[in-house]
Amino acid sequence: MASLSTTSLSFKAPSTRISQVLRKGSSFQSVTFGRFTSSTSKSLRLQISCAAKAETVQKVSDIVKEQLALTADTPLTAESKFTALGADSLDTVEIVMALEEKFNISVEESDAQNITTIQEAADLIEDLVQKKPAA
Amino acid sequence: MQRSLSMGLTSLLPLKLPSRMETHLWYIRPDEVKCASLLKHYSQLLSPTEKDRVLQMRGDELKKNALLARTLVRTTIARYQTNSEVDPRSLMFKKNKYGKPEVDWQNYNNCNNPPLHFNISHTDSLIACGVTVHVPVGIDVENKERKIKHDVLAFAERFYSADEVKFLSTILDPEVQRKEFIKLWTLKEAYVKALGKGFSAAPFNTFTIQSKVGTEGCYNLCKTSEMTISSLEKTEKCYEEWRFALLELADSHYGAICTEDDQAGGGAISIDIDTEESIYSVISSSHLSPSCRWSYEGDYPKNHPFRRR
């Protein structure tokens, strides 16, 4: 069908007034399709951690591939952005959960938002693993 | 300022603005768009940055969906400009302080432009765009059948509020539980997106959304207060200034809408479903490849937005 069909629906609520939305501090860099990520703390974090081992990157890639049901021939690099691979917000959260389980770490919500690529996930994981008290 | 339409662009049927009490939700199904030359022409509506982002998507399906999402946003917003015809290509977008996309009206004479707010959401099988006037809006859509890889309760315990976990744990049927989980996800996402301050402004476990007793599809936002007097007491305040609705779209998806509304005191939300077969074709028939031409034969339906020159 050579057309773009759309359907619209509208819902009405009783009358509204304009109201001020108070805005606070931090700045964010947005990902186009719905999820907001922070650029400020991301750049700080990258300054203090070293690049993750290739092994970690591979493990993260495997988890991402599984969560997003990627075919074997999908090109995947450490710099691959989750959104470019088709991850939506729910996928990203599931990926974070899987990473927590795999590496036995706990990811803060604010850190979880900063993960947009495989490399960033791997960096964060190694950071957290390093910080864990010795078993 | 009127931009001249070129390349055989046909006019998009204008839309009446939503009233302050309304949200309009437009959605498309990518699997219904198959014509390659149509997609090519849609790509010409996009800004260079948008085109780059589309190209960054890995795989043809993802590229197509990204393209359709931008096309939907541009053509929908352009249709609401009832004072003069607006070329969807000429629309500009910017981000608020927190990264939420909004329309940038700088190129237009500002007096007559309505303070439109929009928000988009997409899954692989459906793309939606919500539009309001004067108030912020957030929408989120999810496939009803979406499978969660983790245990639903474990997921909820990790991310949702305690009350929501309690609610989900009372549901015995795992299928129903999964569906309620998804519904809550869309509602919570819609709220965070309507708020427009990024995820950390409203971590999922700091607020509860629950359905309004005696209604279908209507929900309330309650926040768990951070200051508790004792561990046994919890102060909960329900925030009437955020309105929620949950809809089923195309029988296959849940769509959550959240808008800001200062009027405390509840009241029913009515949902009008206005199905319009809108064909956003921005090319004249001579540009269609033979495989697409057949669809332009015959009469157009009554509400056809496609006006030929």
Side-chain angles (χ1 to χ4, degrees), chain A residues 4 6 8 10 24 30 100, chain B residues 98-99 158 272 274 276 278:
Chain A
L4 197 68
T6 71
S8 86
S10 63
K24 288 194 215 165
S30 127
E100 285 182 329
Chain B
Y98 307 93
R158 176 75 179 78
D272 293 328
D274 182 14
E276 185 187 291
S278 329

Side-chain angles (χ1 to χ4, degrees), chain A residues 13-25:
Chain A
S15 59
T16 67
R17 293 200 307 273
I18 304 169
S19 76
Q20 289 281 8
V21 178
L22 293 172
R23 300 230 158 106
K24 288 194 215 165

Side-chain angles (χ1 to χ4, degrees), chain B residues 64-295:
Chain B
K64 175 174 144 186
N65 291 3
L67 167 61
L68 290 176
R70 296 317 299 167
T71 303
L72 180 64
V73 171
R74 284 182 173 272
T75 54
T76 303
I77 291 172
R79 288 177 72 189
Y80 284 107
Q81 307 314 310
T82 47
N83 293 317
S84 59
E85 270 183 22
V86 164
D87 183 345
R89 285 176 297 191
S90 67
L91 285 169
M92 293 180 60
F93 297 90
K94 59 183 177 179
K95 290 175 185 150
N96 77 0
K97 206 158 54 155
Y98 307 93
K100 182 176 180 181
E102 50 191 41
V103 185
D104 184 351
W105 298 110
Q106 64 173 296
N107 274 355
Y108 296 87
N109 289 327
N110 279 326
C111 357
N112 293 326
N113 286 310
L116 268 190
H117 293 252
F118 76 93
N119 192 235
I120 58 169
S121 170
H122 59 104
T123 66
D124 51 5
S125 41
L126 191 135
I127 302 165
C129 178
V131 177
T132 51
V133 165
H134 290 297
V135 292
V137 60
I139 64 161
D140 192 57
V141 294
E142 283 297 347
N143 191 316
K144 277 180 0 183
E145 297 310 313
R146 190 197 180 118
K147 298 290 175 260
I148 307 297
K149 295 214 161 43
H150 292 86
D151 172 63
V152 163
L153 274 183
F155 196 135
E157 271 160 21
R158 176 75 179 78
F159 289 103
Y160 287 18
S161 75
D163 281 335
E164 288 166 342
V165 173
K166 207 157 68 173
F167 162 69
L168 287 171
S169 59
T170 61
I171 303 171
L172 299 173
D173 182 325
E175 207 11 49
V176 176
Q177 191 189 65
R178 184 192 60 79
K179 283 196 156 117
E180 290 302 317
F181 173 87
I182 303 264
K183 286 180 185 176
L184 269 177
W185 178 271
T186 60
L187 287 160
K188 291 167 87 70
E189 274 283 301
Y191 170 60
V192 171
K193 292 172 80 182
L195 209 48
K197 294 189 215 164
F199 217 40
S200 67
F204 268 23
N205 59 6
T206 61
F207 63 94
T208 297
I209 298 181
Q210 48 194 216
S211 73
K212 274 188 193 167
V213 174
T215 67
E216 199 164 309
C218 297
Y219 291 82
N220 263 332
L221 170 75
C222 302
K223 276 193 184 130
T224 311
S225 168
E226 274 144 33
M227 307 266 292
T228 54
I229 296 160
S230 74
S231 55
L232 296 172
E233 284 176 36
K234 223 181 349 188
T235 322
E236 268 188 22
K237 188 186 160 194
C238 282
Y239 287 69
E240 292 287 345
E241 67 261 33
W242 292 99
R243 295 206 166 273
F244 295 86
L246 187 75
L247 314 155
E248 292 199 17
L249 306 174
D251 285 331
S252 54
H253 288 73
Y254 292 125
I257 303 173
C258 176
T259 59
E260 196 175 9
D261 164 33
D262 250 357
Q263 193 92 356
I269 293 178
S270 75
I271 298 171
D272 293 328
I273 296 180
D274 182 14
T275 306
E276 185 187 291
E277 196 67 43
S278 329
I279 300 180
Y280 292 98
S281 175
V282 292
I283 56 177
S284 66
S285 58
S286 59
H287 290 136
L288 288 171
S289 65
S291 62
C292 303
R293 210 182 294 261
W294 65 268
S295 72

